[in-house]
Amino acid sequence: MRDSQPLLYGKRSLWRRLTAKWYRLDRTSRVVFSILALTICGAIVSRIIIEVVDPFDLLRGPHVTIKSEVDKNNDTGDTDKVRRQAVRAAMKHAWDGYSKYAFGHDELQPVSNTSNDKWGGWGVTLVDSLDTLHIMELHEEFRQAVTQVAGVDFSHAQDGFTTPFFEMVIRSLAGLLSAYEMSLDRRLLEKAKQVGDALLPAFNSSTGIPYSRVDVNAGRAAPSNRVCIAEAGTVQLEYWKLSELTGNPIYHKAAQRVVDILDKAEKPHKGLYPIWIDIGTGKMDSGQITFGGMGDSWYEYMLKQHIYSRGTHSQYSRMYKESIDAMKEKMVKKSVFDPDMYYVGDLDSSATRFSPKFQHLTCFVPGMLALGSKSLDRPDDLELAKKLTYTCFQMYNKTKTGLSAEYVLFRDESGKGLTGKGTDDFATVALDSATIAEQSDGFYFGNDRSYILRPETVESLMIMYRITGDKIYKEWGWQIFLDIEKWTKTSSAYSAYRDVTSTKRNEMLTDSMESFFLAETLKYLYLLFSPVNYYSLDEYVFNTEAHPFKIMS
């Protein structure tokens, strides 16, 4: 005890001396030293967190339903982090190229490193990319983009140009609304209102069915006799969100009127809609019935309006279920060479003739079915979604480049199919014996073998993973991403590819990069490798251009 006492007393003496010195300091000095000490401690703690924990994975929010055993055995956290950082690097590469060679213009041409303004000069890539930049935490790029957007006058377009109503609603209006909800920058909401108002004259028809183009400078629609159903019926989410955020109901009322008209219109089969609408009468009397181009997102928005409104409007779920039941009855077939390969073909306007053509655009359907299976308790739809997702992946997996063509063709049990050379998609003929390649692939190619950086398959892969928890969808998505990197990357960005069956890379790059590559394809890939509660499907509904809207509270 004697040996320990001096040491103890020594410690107390040191403490007393330090205390005495502390109190001899003036108040200002004590405050400065306290702030300095807290700053040093905070820096040390922050560095420990950065080194030990990935802050990205600490995000909290409601989870979608994923089997517990999948989460328990999930050892791919580090892999996912590496992969999403690779996708983020791809986005930064494409954005840097756009910023250097085309900033403020509609599109970058990524081979010649020039720009175009084919959408009227509103800077479509700029606006379409905003929320992707924010989601990927490219904050400086986001700030620069917002500053540029704030200076765009969306009440005017290039002289003589008529603005495409549907495209600018899903890209520009939606992009601004989504970016506003993420950042709460009021300038973005003001610009969204400017876009919404500039395009609103499209609804000024005798029926309320919108015209397909608007003369923004004159403040009126460009007259036309008909509009396709995807263009008329895929603006509802955007105008509803605009009404919600501005408190002005006129936007939602104008868009909702279209749904009411088409809901009551005569159809060749319950739930199935020919693509062409007569603007003067509101009748649908021509064009194919398709879940591909010109029809696709009409069906998608039935479900997404149900989700967005939290099921408070029974009209949307009823219409969706009618359409999906009819699709399953009349439009779903399978390959004669691969019993696991299901596809959705097209019907003629009478819903009696079938076309065995499966479009890449239709590959949004499995994701839609998965969302519907969850929100409307339709488990059979999820099983079909799995089969269709497999086919969509094989459209990539079976080519020399690993990229998918715009569409593939199938033959029926009698050996009939499309030649791929004609214009009548319902004129099936007896085909020659199947080649070894067709028997192996399960399908064959038509004339259009291009890949224009489309997002639909990776969209479905992201949703399928989040709904099922099956990691195979991540592997498929990663394979697709690597092939996009290999075959389409240029010095400044990424280019569409002319023929996916050719490996003559330099000859195949078309010098085109649609804004949806940044808005959709890269965003869905990034979210595929992100935690499932990051922009959770329980909290957000994605418009048809992949712009996430917060679901109504």
Side-chain angles (χ1 to χ4, degrees):
M1 180 65 89
R2 280 196 303 269
D3 292 338
S4 64
Q5 282 180 340
L7 187 59
L8 179 61
Y9 293 152
K11 287 183 179 178
R12 288 178 179 172
S13 178
L14 176 61
W15 174 251
R16 288 195 189 100
R17 289 199 301 271
L18 291 174
T19 303
K21 288 183 179 181
W22 172 258
Y23 284 110
R24 281 200 296 270
L25 293 172
D26 59 81
R27 184 177 179 182
T28 301
S29 297
R30 289 202 300 269
V31 170
V32 171
F33 275 112
S34 297
I35 293 173
L36 182 60
L38 289 172
T39 302
I40 293 171
C41 291
I44 293 171
V45 172
S46 298
R47 188 61 191 173
I48 291 172
I49 291 174
I50 291 171
E51 291 294 336
V52 176
V53 182
D54 178 5
F56 184 94
D57 291 325
L58 294 178
L59 292 160
R60 292 290 181 260
H63 288 257
V64 295
T65 303
I66 291 187
K67 299 175 183 179
S68 59
E69 65 267 26
V70 174
D71 285 341
K72 187 185 302 181
N73 296 322
N74 186 1
D75 59 354
T76 61
D78 290 341
T79 300
D80 284 346
K81 182 177 179 180
V82 169
R83 289 177 175 182
R84 68 171 172 265
Q85 290 305 315
V87 177
R88 184 179 186 268
M91 176 64 188
K92 191 170 189 320
H93 175 66
W95 179 258
D96 287 348
Y98 171 75
S99 298
K100 182 176 181 179
Y101 298 109
F103 197 59
H105 292 281
D106 283 340
E107 291 180 354
L108 166 68
Q109 296 178 187
V111 176
S112 61
N113 293 333
T114 56
S115 63
N116 70 60
D117 286 310
K118 73 177 188 180
W119 299 104
W122 278 5
V124 171
T125 296
L126 177 73
V127 178
D128 221 2
S129 302
L130 285 172
D131 55 11
T132 306
L133 295 171
H134 198 280
I135 285 171
M136 295 188 187
E137 300 182 326
L138 291 165
H139 298 308
E140 182 57 32
E141 291 82 353
F142 178 79
R143 283 190 289 270
Q144 293 172 353
V146 171
T147 299
Q148 179 71 19
V149 168
V152 178
D153 183 0
F154 292 103
S155 65
H156 291 85
Q158 292 175 338
D159 291 342
F161 184 81
T162 56
T163 302
F165 173 61
F166 158 74
E167 293 288 354
M168 292 304 99
V169 168
I170 66 169
R171 300 189 195 209
S172 298
L173 176 56
L176 291 164
L177 291 169
S178 177
Y180 166 70
E181 285 200 306
M182 293 177 184
S183 67
L184 299 181
D185 188 322
R186 295 291 300 184
R187 294 175 297 174
L188 294 172
L189 181 57
E190 291 167 4
K191 289 300 175 182
K193 185 177 181 302
Q194 191 177 61
V195 172
D197 289 339
L199 298 176
L200 200 61
F203 291 107
N204 293 339
S205 68
S206 59
T207 59
I209 298 293
Y211 294 101
S212 61
R213 302 186 78 90
V214 178
D215 186 339
V216 171
N217 296 330
R220 61 174 179 264
S224 57
N225 295 323
R226 66 180 188 175
V227 63
C228 77
I229 196 167
E231 293 184 354
T234 313
V235 297
Q236 284 68 27
L237 274 179
E238 294 79 4
Y239 272 111
W240 201 347
K241 175 59 74 175
L242 185 59
S243 283
E244 179 193 347
L245 294 178
T246 63
N248 190 340
I250 65 167
Y251 306 112
H252 172 52
K253 287 181 179 178
Q256 176 60 33
R257 185 179 179 187
V258 178
V259 179
D260 294 336
I261 292 171
L262 298 180
D263 185 15
K264 297 172 184 176
E266 184 178 351
K267 307 167 189 66
H269 188 283
K270 184 178 180 180
L272 297 179
Y273 299 75
I275 59 171
W276 289 115
I277 308 168
D278 185 305
I279 294 175
T281 64
K283 294 181 179 180
M284 298 171 290
D285 54 8
S286 64
Q288 71 267 31
I289 297 165
T290 180
F291 280 73
M294 302 170 69
D296 46 6
S297 46
W298 159 249
Y299 300 99
E300 173 188 357
Y301 269 33
M302 295 178 196
L303 174 64
K304 290 187 173 179
Q305 288 176 92
H306 164 79
I307 294 172
Y308 176 68
S309 64
R310 295 190 181 273
T312 57
H313 295 69
S314 60
Q315 176 188 31
Y316 307 128
S317 59
R318 171 183 54 78
M319 293 174 69
Y320 172 77
K321 287 187 278 191
E322 289 173 356
S323 293
I324 298 308
D325 289 344
M327 179 197 78
K328 290 164 72 175
E329 175 190 347
K330 299 185 71 69
M331 302 176 72
V332 177
K333 307 286 185 182
K334 63 181 179 179
S335 169
V336 297
F337 299 112
D338 184 346
D340 296 323
M341 187 173 284
Y342 284 64
Y343 68 98
V344 181
D346 299 334
L347 294 171
D348 69 356
S349 59
S350 66
T352 57
R353 301 169 67 204
F354 179 79
S355 171
K357 179 180 182 179
F358 187 44
Q359 302 176 46
H360 189 289
L361 282 165
T362 311
C363 282
F364 85 95
V365 170
M368 176 184 69
L369 291 174
L371 283 175
S373 74
K374 177 178 181 289
S375 60
L376 295 171
D377 191 24
R378 292 170 60 94
D380 288 348
D381 288 357
L382 183 57
E383 295 308 307
L384 177 58
K386 294 175 182 177
K387 295 171 182 175
L388 292 173
T389 306
Y390 168 78
T391 305
C392 291
F393 171 67
Q394 294 305 329
M395 289 168 66
Y396 286 80
N397 191 44
K398 297 289 189 178
T399 69
K400 294 178 180 178
T401 58
L403 304 174
S404 172
E406 271 287 277
Y407 63 86
V408 294
L409 302 170
F410 293 83
R411 68 174 67 211
D412 62 22
E413 292 82 355
S414 65
K416 288 186 176 182
L418 299 172
T419 63
K421 298 178 181 179
T423 56
D424 185 351
D425 281 346
F426 302 95
T428 57
V429 298
L431 300 174
D432 294 336
S433 298
T435 63
I436 295 176
E438 182 188 350
Q439 295 178 47
S440 173
D441 296 347
F443 52 74
Y444 60 101
F445 295 99
N447 279 347
D448 191 346
R449 303 182 181 190
S450 64
Y451 173 64
I452 61 171
L453 306 172
R454 286 204 185 276
E456 290 78 20
T457 295
V458 294
E459 171 187 359
S460 285
L461 291 174
M462 186 276 284
I463 296 171
M464 289 298 292
Y465 172 72
R466 291 193 171 198
I467 297 296
T468 69
D470 190 337
K471 289 180 282 188
I472 190 61
Y473 300 119
K474 288 185 174 183
E475 298 309 312
W476 290 353
W478 182 241
Q479 179 177 319
I480 290 171
F481 172 72
L482 291 178
D483 285 320
I484 290 173
E485 282 280 301
K486 179 178 180 180
W487 295 101
T488 74
K489 191 172 186 177
T490 72
S491 63
S492 59
Y494 296 82
S495 171
Y497 202 84
R498 183 171 289 107
D499 184 348
V500 300
T501 65
S502 171
T503 56
K504 297 179 180 179
R505 181 183 178 279
N506 292 339
E507 298 175 19
M508 294 297 111
L509 299 175
T510 66
D511 203 20
S512 171
M513 183 177 72
E514 290 265 10
S515 67
F516 56 64
F517 178 66
L518 287 76
E520 299 186 71
T521 308
L522 292 178
K523 182 186 297 161
Y524 282 130
L525 283 165
Y526 187 81
L527 292 175
L528 175 62
F529 304 119
S530 299
V532 296
N533 53 357
Y534 190 58
Y535 289 87
S536 164
L537 298 178
D538 290 332
E539 294 182 322
Y540 290 87
V541 60
F542 289 75
N543 92 319
T544 196
E545 190 78 5
H547 297 302
F549 292 164
K550 289 182 179 178
I551 295 172
M552 280 186 169
S553 59

